[in-house]
Amino acid sequence: MLPRGASSMPPPPNSAPYSPPPRVTLPSGLEILRTFSGAVIFLEILFGTIVWILVASTGVPLPLLQGWVMFVAVTAWFLSIVFLSVFLFGYANRVAVNWNQADFIFHGATFVFYFGAFLLQAGTTSLHHFPRKFNSTMQESILSGREYNISIAASV
């Protein structure tokens, strides 16, 4: 006989929905550099550094436009290093996040910001022949010949 108040039926299962933690299909450690995502992050760091250097080496004649380009280049460079470090040091295996989705969102957002920065830098480059007046007697073009070539390289 069962004790008083006990039943022979097992307790009902927990009604809370169960979803397993997302799997990380991107490798960690140095193996991340062998994947497409790791290669793209590495290229973002490399080309972000180049854009950063090229824009900074011009006289920044239009600070409003080129300031945004510099902001995008520096921010994307920093976030790319942080994102790559998450995989290099194995933090992706410790944090329960859908890293495949995070990787897709990161690269998509970086693309959108870099594309906007490209448009602004190309717009700055296209204005190279317009004169800039310092006072009523001096006129100078917005970009010198050297700065124009550097600005083209930064746009590309």
PDB file of all heavy atoms in Angstrom, residues 61-84:
ATOM      1  N   PRO A  61      39.606  68.090 -45.045  1.00  0.00           N
ATOM      2  CA  PRO A  61      39.045  69.382 -45.421  1.00  0.00           C
ATOM      3  C   PRO A  61      37.562  69.526 -45.087  1.00  0.00           C
ATOM      4  O   PRO A  61      37.083  70.624 -44.874  1.00  0.00           O
ATOM      5  CB  PRO A  61      39.271  69.436 -46.927  1.00  0.00           C
ATOM      6  CG  PRO A  61      39.322  68.017 -47.351  1.00  0.00           C
ATOM      7  CD  PRO A  61      39.945  67.277 -46.206  1.00  0.00           C
ATOM      8  N   LEU A  62      36.841  68.428 -45.053  1.00  0.00           N
ATOM      9  CA  LEU A  62      35.415  68.468 -44.704  1.00  0.00           C
ATOM     10  C   LEU A  62      35.210  67.621 -43.448  1.00  0.00           C
ATOM     11  O   LEU A  62      34.881  66.444 -43.519  1.00  0.00           O
ATOM     12  CB  LEU A  62      34.569  67.939 -45.867  1.00  0.00           C
ATOM     13  CG  LEU A  62      34.716  68.701 -47.179  1.00  0.00           C
ATOM     14  CD1 LEU A  62      34.020  67.977 -48.312  1.00  0.00           C
ATOM     15  CD2 LEU A  62      34.167  70.107 -47.029  1.00  0.00           C
ATOM     16  N   PRO A  63      35.406  68.209 -42.270  1.00  0.00           N
ATOM     17  CA  PRO A  63      35.393  67.414 -41.037  1.00  0.00           C
ATOM     18  C   PRO A  63      34.074  66.704 -40.767  1.00  0.00           C
ATOM     19  O   PRO A  63      34.072  65.631 -40.178  1.00  0.00           O
ATOM     20  CB  PRO A  63      35.689  68.420 -39.935  1.00  0.00           C
ATOM     21  CG  PRO A  63      35.968  69.707 -40.571  1.00  0.00           C
ATOM     22  CD  PRO A  63      35.701  69.605 -42.022  1.00  0.00           C
ATOM     23  N   LEU A  64      32.962  67.277 -41.208  1.00  0.00           N
ATOM     24  CA  LEU A  64      31.680  66.633 -40.946  1.00  0.00           C
ATOM     25  C   LEU A  64      31.581  65.308 -41.692  1.00  0.00           C
ATOM     26  O   LEU A  64      31.193  64.294 -41.118  1.00  0.00           O
ATOM     27  CB  LEU A  64      30.530  67.557 -41.351  1.00  0.00           C
ATOM     28  CG  LEU A  64      29.131  67.039 -41.058  1.00  0.00           C
ATOM     29  CD1 LEU A  64      28.951  66.879 -39.554  1.00  0.00           C
ATOM     30  CD2 LEU A  64      28.092  67.969 -41.601  1.00  0.00           C
ATOM     31  N   LEU A  65      31.966  65.301 -42.954  1.00  0.00           N
ATOM     32  CA  LEU A  65      31.894  64.073 -43.742  1.00  0.00           C
ATOM     33  C   LEU A  65      32.983  63.084 -43.335  1.00  0.00           C
ATOM     34  O   LEU A  65      32.715  61.919 -43.073  1.00  0.00           O
ATOM     35  CB  LEU A  65      32.016  64.388 -45.238  1.00  0.00           C
ATOM     36  CG  LEU A  65      30.947  65.298 -45.840  1.00  0.00           C
ATOM     37  CD1 LEU A  65      31.220  65.519 -47.310  1.00  0.00           C
ATOM     38  CD2 LEU A  65      29.577  64.710 -45.637  1.00  0.00           C
ATOM     39  N   GLN A  66      34.200  63.556 -43.302  1.00  0.00           N
ATOM     40  CA  GLN A  66      35.305  62.644 -43.023  1.00  0.00           C
ATOM     41  C   GLN A  66      35.373  62.263 -41.546  1.00  0.00           C
ATOM     42  O   GLN A  66      35.964  61.247 -41.210  1.00  0.00           O
ATOM     43  CB  GLN A  66      36.614  63.246 -43.505  1.00  0.00           C
ATOM     44  CG  GLN A  66      36.655  63.270 -45.024  1.00  0.00           C
ATOM     45  CD  GLN A  66      37.968  63.764 -45.551  1.00  0.00           C
ATOM     46  OE1 GLN A  66      38.352  64.880 -45.257  1.00  0.00           O
ATOM     47  NE2 GLN A  66      38.632  62.933 -46.321  1.00  0.00           N
ATOM     48  N   GLY A  67      34.762  63.041 -40.691  1.00  0.00           N
ATOM     49  CA  GLY A  67      34.673  62.653 -39.286  1.00  0.00           C
ATOM     50  C   GLY A  67      33.848  61.390 -39.122  1.00  0.00           C
ATOM     51  O   GLY A  67      34.180  60.508 -38.335  1.00  0.00           O
ATOM     52  N   TRP A  68      32.763  61.291 -39.881  1.00  0.00           N
ATOM     53  CA  TRP A  68      31.943  60.081 -39.830  1.00  0.00           C
ATOM     54  C   TRP A  68      32.706  58.887 -40.401  1.00  0.00           C
ATOM     55  O   TRP A  68      32.636  57.785 -39.869  1.00  0.00           O
ATOM     56  CB  TRP A  68      30.628  60.280 -40.582  1.00  0.00           C
ATOM     57  CG  TRP A  68      29.789  59.049 -40.587  1.00  0.00           C
ATOM     58  CD1 TRP A  68      29.547  58.221 -41.635  1.00  0.00           C
ATOM     59  CD2 TRP A  68      29.094  58.473 -39.473  1.00  0.00           C
ATOM     60  NE1 TRP A  68      28.750  57.184 -41.245  1.00  0.00           N
ATOM     61  CE2 TRP A  68      28.457  57.314 -39.928  1.00  0.00           C
ATOM     62  CE3 TRP A  68      28.967  58.841 -38.144  1.00  0.00           C
ATOM     63  CZ2 TRP A  68      27.697  56.510 -39.088  1.00  0.00           C
ATOM     64  CZ3 TRP A  68      28.205  58.033 -37.308  1.00  0.00           C
ATOM     65  CH2 TRP A  68      27.575  56.884 -37.782  1.00  0.00           C
ATOM     66  N   VAL A  69      33.462  59.111 -41.466  1.00  0.00           N
ATOM     67  CA  VAL A  69      34.270  58.039 -42.051  1.00  0.00           C
ATOM     68  C   VAL A  69      35.279  57.537 -41.019  1.00  0.00           C
ATOM     69  O   VAL A  69      35.458  56.332 -40.847  1.00  0.00           O
ATOM     70  CB  VAL A  69      34.972  58.521 -43.340  1.00  0.00           C
ATOM     71  CG1 VAL A  69      35.923  57.464 -43.864  1.00  0.00           C
ATOM     72  CG2 VAL A  69      33.954  58.895 -44.404  1.00  0.00           C
ATOM     73  N   MET A  70      35.925  58.456 -40.318  1.00  0.00           N
ATOM     74  CA  MET A  70      36.882  58.058 -39.284  1.00  0.00           C
ATOM     75  C   MET A  70      36.184  57.339 -38.135  1.00  0.00           C
ATOM     76  O   MET A  70      36.699  56.349 -37.611  1.00  0.00           O
ATOM     77  CB  MET A  70      37.635  59.279 -38.747  1.00  0.00           C
ATOM     78  CG  MET A  70      38.715  59.769 -39.643  1.00  0.00           C
ATOM     79  SD  MET A  70      40.035  58.580 -39.852  1.00  0.00           S
ATOM     80  CE  MET A  70      40.838  58.708 -38.276  1.00  0.00           C
ATOM     81  N   PHE A  71      35.016  57.822 -37.736  1.00  0.00           N
ATOM     82  CA  PHE A  71      34.269  57.164 -36.668  1.00  0.00           C
ATOM     83  C   PHE A  71      33.934  55.728 -37.050  1.00  0.00           C
ATOM     84  O   PHE A  71      34.116  54.800 -36.255  1.00  0.00           O
ATOM     85  CB  PHE A  71      32.986  57.937 -36.349  1.00  0.00           C
ATOM     86  CG  PHE A  71      32.082  57.220 -35.398  1.00  0.00           C
ATOM     87  CD1 PHE A  71      32.372  57.186 -34.042  1.00  0.00           C
ATOM     88  CD2 PHE A  71      30.949  56.567 -35.855  1.00  0.00           C
ATOM     89  CE1 PHE A  71      31.546  56.511 -33.159  1.00  0.00           C
ATOM     90  CE2 PHE A  71      30.121  55.892 -34.981  1.00  0.00           C
ATOM     91  CZ  PHE A  71      30.417  55.862 -33.630  1.00  0.00           C
ATOM     92  N   VAL A  72      33.449  55.526 -38.268  1.00  0.00           N
ATOM     93  CA  VAL A  72      33.104  54.180 -38.730  1.00  0.00           C
ATOM     94  C   VAL A  72      34.346  53.305 -38.786  1.00  0.00           C
ATOM     95  O   VAL A  72      34.340  52.163 -38.321  1.00  0.00           O
ATOM     96  CB  VAL A  72      32.397  54.235 -40.100  1.00  0.00           C
ATOM     97  CG1 VAL A  72      32.284  52.853 -40.719  1.00  0.00           C
ATOM     98  CG2 VAL A  72      31.017  54.850 -39.957  1.00  0.00           C
ATOM     99  N   ALA A  73      35.440  53.832 -39.336  1.00  0.00           N
ATOM    100  CA  ALA A  73      36.661  53.032 -39.471  1.00  0.00           C
ATOM    101  C   ALA A  73      37.213  52.629 -38.108  1.00  0.00           C
ATOM    102  O   ALA A  73      37.568  51.464 -37.884  1.00  0.00           O
ATOM    103  CB  ALA A  73      37.714  53.801 -40.263  1.00  0.00           C
ATOM    104  N   VAL A  74      37.271  53.559 -37.175  1.00  0.00           N
ATOM    105  CA  VAL A  74      37.843  53.265 -35.852  1.00  0.00           C
ATOM    106  C   VAL A  74      36.912  52.352 -35.057  1.00  0.00           C
ATOM    107  O   VAL A  74      37.363  51.379 -34.439  1.00  0.00           O
ATOM    108  CB  VAL A  74      38.129  54.575 -35.082  1.00  0.00           C
ATOM    109  CG1 VAL A  74      38.522  54.298 -33.645  1.00  0.00           C
ATOM    110  CG2 VAL A  74      39.210  55.368 -35.786  1.00  0.00           C
ATOM    111  N   THR A  75      35.621  52.626 -35.077  1.00  0.00           N
ATOM    112  CA  THR A  75      34.671  51.811 -34.321  1.00  0.00           C
ATOM    113  C   THR A  75      34.601  50.394 -34.869  1.00  0.00           C
ATOM    114  O   THR A  75      34.630  49.420 -34.105  1.00  0.00           O
ATOM    115  CB  THR A  75      33.277  52.457 -34.335  1.00  0.00           C
ATOM    116  OG1 THR A  75      33.386  53.788 -33.828  1.00  0.00           O
ATOM    117  CG2 THR A  75      32.298  51.678 -33.492  1.00  0.00           C
ATOM    118  N   ALA A  76      34.505  50.260 -36.185  1.00  0.00           N
ATOM    119  CA  ALA A  76      34.451  48.922 -36.786  1.00  0.00           C
ATOM    120  C   ALA A  76      35.752  48.170 -36.552  1.00  0.00           C
ATOM    121  O   ALA A  76      35.739  46.949 -36.318  1.00  0.00           O
ATOM    122  CB  ALA A  76      34.159  49.025 -38.270  1.00  0.00           C
ATOM    123  N   TRP A  77      36.869  48.863 -36.577  1.00  0.00           N
ATOM    124  CA  TRP A  77      38.159  48.236 -36.315  1.00  0.00           C
ATOM    125  C   TRP A  77      38.201  47.694 -34.889  1.00  0.00           C
ATOM    126  O   TRP A  77      38.575  46.543 -34.664  1.00  0.00           O
ATOM    127  CB  TRP A  77      39.264  49.274 -36.531  1.00  0.00           C
ATOM    128  CG  TRP A  77      40.640  48.802 -36.275  1.00  0.00           C
ATOM    129  CD1 TRP A  77      41.443  48.102 -37.123  1.00  0.00           C
ATOM    130  CD2 TRP A  77      41.390  48.994 -35.072  1.00  0.00           C
ATOM    131  NE1 TRP A  77      42.648  47.859 -36.518  1.00  0.00           N
ATOM    132  CE2 TRP A  77      42.649  48.395 -35.252  1.00  0.00           C
ATOM    133  CE3 TRP A  77      41.127  49.624 -33.869  1.00  0.00           C
ATOM    134  CZ2 TRP A  77      43.631  48.400 -34.279  1.00  0.00           C
ATOM    135  CZ3 TRP A  77      42.106  49.625 -32.894  1.00  0.00           C
ATOM    136  CH2 TRP A  77      43.338  49.021 -33.103  1.00  0.00           C
ATOM    137  N   PHE A  78      37.788  48.519 -33.931  1.00  0.00           N
ATOM    138  CA  PHE A  78      37.793  48.101 -32.529  1.00  0.00           C
ATOM    139  C   PHE A  78      36.825  46.935 -32.298  1.00  0.00           C
ATOM    140  O   PHE A  78      37.178  45.939 -31.650  1.00  0.00           O
ATOM    141  CB  PHE A  78      37.439  49.282 -31.622  1.00  0.00           C
ATOM    142  CG  PHE A  78      37.370  48.926 -30.174  1.00  0.00           C
ATOM    143  CD1 PHE A  78      38.524  48.687 -29.448  1.00  0.00           C
ATOM    144  CD2 PHE A  78      36.146  48.817 -29.535  1.00  0.00           C
ATOM    145  CE1 PHE A  78      38.463  48.341 -28.100  1.00  0.00           C
ATOM    146  CE2 PHE A  78      36.067  48.473 -28.199  1.00  0.00           C
ATOM    147  CZ  PHE A  78      37.234  48.234 -27.476  1.00  0.00           C
ATOM    148  N   LEU A  79      35.603  47.033 -32.821  1.00  0.00           N
ATOM    149  CA  LEU A  79      34.622  45.968 -32.619  1.00  0.00           C
ATOM    150  C   LEU A  79      35.035  44.677 -33.323  1.00  0.00           C
ATOM    151  O   LEU A  79      34.744  43.581 -32.832  1.00  0.00           O
ATOM    152  CB  LEU A  79      33.245  46.423 -33.093  1.00  0.00           C
ATOM    153  CG  LEU A  79      32.594  47.516 -32.247  1.00  0.00           C
ATOM    154  CD1 LEU A  79      31.262  47.945 -32.850  1.00  0.00           C
ATOM    155  CD2 LEU A  79      32.405  47.060 -30.818  1.00  0.00           C
ATOM    156  N   SER A  80      35.710  44.791 -34.461  1.00  0.00           N
ATOM    157  CA  SER A  80      36.202  43.591 -35.150  1.00  0.00           C
ATOM    158  C   SER A  80      37.259  42.887 -34.311  1.00  0.00           C
ATOM    159  O   SER A  80      37.284  41.652 -34.248  1.00  0.00           O
ATOM    160  CB  SER A  80      36.781  43.953 -36.513  1.00  0.00           C
ATOM    161  OG  SER A  80      35.781  44.441 -37.363  1.00  0.00           O
ATOM    162  N   ILE A  81      38.127  43.646 -33.676  1.00  0.00           N
ATOM    163  CA  ILE A  81      39.141  43.037 -32.808  1.00  0.00           C
ATOM    164  C   ILE A  81      38.469  42.354 -31.614  1.00  0.00           C
ATOM    165  O   ILE A  81      38.833  41.228 -31.245  1.00  0.00           O
ATOM    166  CB  ILE A  81      40.172  44.083 -32.355  1.00  0.00           C
ATOM    167  CG1 ILE A  81      41.074  44.449 -33.535  1.00  0.00           C
ATOM    168  CG2 ILE A  81      41.003  43.571 -31.186  1.00  0.00           C
ATOM    169  CD1 ILE A  81      42.080  45.516 -33.249  1.00  0.00           C
ATOM    170  N   VAL A  82      37.475  42.999 -31.035  1.00  0.00           N
ATOM    171  CA  VAL A  82      36.762  42.389 -29.900  1.00  0.00           C
ATOM    172  C   VAL A  82      36.038  41.125 -30.350  1.00  0.00           C
ATOM    173  O   VAL A  82      36.110  40.078 -29.687  1.00  0.00           O
ATOM    174  CB  VAL A  82      35.767  43.403 -29.272  1.00  0.00           C
ATOM    175  CG1 VAL A  82      34.836  42.724 -28.286  1.00  0.00           C
ATOM    176  CG2 VAL A  82      36.516  44.537 -28.612  1.00  0.00           C
ATOM    177  N   PHE A  83      35.364  41.183 -31.494  1.00  0.00           N
ATOM    178  CA  PHE A  83      34.609  40.029 -31.991  1.00  0.00           C
ATOM    179  C   PHE A  83      35.545  38.869 -32.323  1.00  0.00           C
ATOM    180  O   PHE A  83      35.243  37.715 -32.027  1.00  0.00           O
ATOM    181  CB  PHE A  83      33.791  40.447 -33.211  1.00  0.00           C
ATOM    182  CG  PHE A  83      32.678  39.507 -33.552  1.00  0.00           C
ATOM    183  CD1 PHE A  83      31.575  39.392 -32.731  1.00  0.00           C
ATOM    184  CD2 PHE A  83      32.730  38.740 -34.701  1.00  0.00           C
ATOM    185  CE1 PHE A  83      30.542  38.529 -33.044  1.00  0.00           C
ATOM    186  CE2 PHE A  83      31.709  37.879 -35.023  1.00  0.00           C
ATOM    187  CZ  PHE A  83      30.612  37.765 -34.193  1.00  0.00           C
ATOM    188  N   LEU A  84      36.685  39.168 -32.927  1.00  0.00           N
ATOM    189  CA  LEU A  84      37.660  38.118 -33.233  1.00  0.00           C
ATOM    190  C   LEU A  84      38.241  37.533 -31.949  1.00  0.00           C
ATOM    191  O   LEU A  84      38.460  36.320 -31.853  1.00  0.00           O
ATOM    192  CB  LEU A  84      38.772  38.672 -34.126  1.00  0.00           C
ATOM    193  CG  LEU A  84      39.817  37.681 -34.609  1.00  0.00           C
ATOM    194  CD1 LEU A  84      39.164  36.603 -35.469  1.00  0.00           C
ATOM    195  CD2 LEU A  84      40.892  38.396 -35.393  1.00  0.00           C
TER     196      LEU A  84
END
